[in-house]
Amino acid sequence: MSLALDTLSTSMFLRGLNVLSGLVDRAVESGLDEAVLMEARLAPDMRPFPDQIRMASFSARSCIARLTDQPWPKTDDTEASLADLKATVALSIAFVEGVEAASFAGGGTRRIELRFPGVELNFEGQGYLTSFALPNFYFHLSMAYAILRNAGVPLGKRDYLGQLELA
């Protein structure tokens, strides 16, 4: 069975974004010091919790936009509270949900170039989605989960897995 690019990308990103939203909710419910959570990280050289949320959210928005050849909603990356992070995730969910399936036409073979200091990556859309965008998205989602768990937010595997698609 093959999955269409639109179905694969939107379903995976929406599932993960909803998990992110739930993680932020659990952080709020935990009653832990919000300032501490906003600085929490697993290692000194690691980006803190808010950056994990920002990067996962950006990964989803930018991937969908690149695959559909359209602009994505930008944020200023200055979220200073859990409520701000929740709003960034909500913006990402709304954007992904709002992209029509027909917009993905040609996305699997669309040329996608990424430039970082010292490296340039060139993809076709499908390879970009499967070898870069989704792994990067789930990396940051995993780190957000792990940071909260390490900080004492009561989370379990089900919080990470999110809504299961059962027969």
Side-chain angles (χ1 to χ4, degrees):
M1 173 176 121
S2 69
L3 288 173
L5 189 68
D6 63 303
T7 302
L8 177 63
S9 59
T10 57
S11 66
M12 296 296 289
F13 285 126
L14 286 173
R15 179 184 181 145
L17 288 166
N18 282 307
V19 166
L20 273 180
S21 183
L23 291 177
V24 175
D25 289 342
R26 295 294 300 273
V28 170
E29 294 164 6
S30 75
L32 295 172
D33 185 337
E34 184 170 349
V36 171
L37 290 176
M38 296 297 282
E39 292 297 322
R41 59 187 85 216
L42 295 178
D45 65 344
M46 179 183 201
R47 292 185 178 261
F49 175 69
D51 286 350
Q52 304 302 330
I53 299 292
R54 288 179 193 120
M55 289 184 279
S57 297
F58 170 80
S59 292
R61 291 191 314 270
S62 64
C63 178
I64 295 297
R66 287 176 174 126
L67 290 174
T68 59
D69 197 27
Q70 62 181 298
W72 60 84
K74 307 282 195 286
T75 61
D76 60 10
D77 294 336
T78 60
E79 298 90 346
S81 68
L82 293 172
D84 291 345
L85 292 173
K86 179 88 173 177
T88 294
V89 175
L91 170 80
S92 301
I93 291 170
F95 175 71
V96 172
E97 287 178 335
V99 175
E100 295 183 23
S103 300
F104 287 86
T109 57
R110 182 168 287 116
R111 183 184 165 124
I112 297 176
E113 297 177 10
L114 301 179
R115 293 189 176 139
F116 303 102
V119 68
E120 181 177 318
L121 302 172
N122 294 289
F123 298 96
E124 283 195 349
Q126 183 173 323
Y128 166 67
L129 173 67
T130 60
S131 71
F132 183 83
L134 282 172
N136 188 57
F137 174 76
Y138 277 98
F139 171 82
H140 293 296
L141 172 59
S142 297
M143 292 306 102
Y145 171 91
I147 289 168
L148 290 179
R149 182 90 164 95
N150 188 58
V153 176
L155 296 169
K157 188 174 185 178
R158 291 281 304 164
D159 296 298
Y160 178 82
L161 291 177
Q163 182 65 44
L164 301 176
E165 270 189 48
L166 303 173

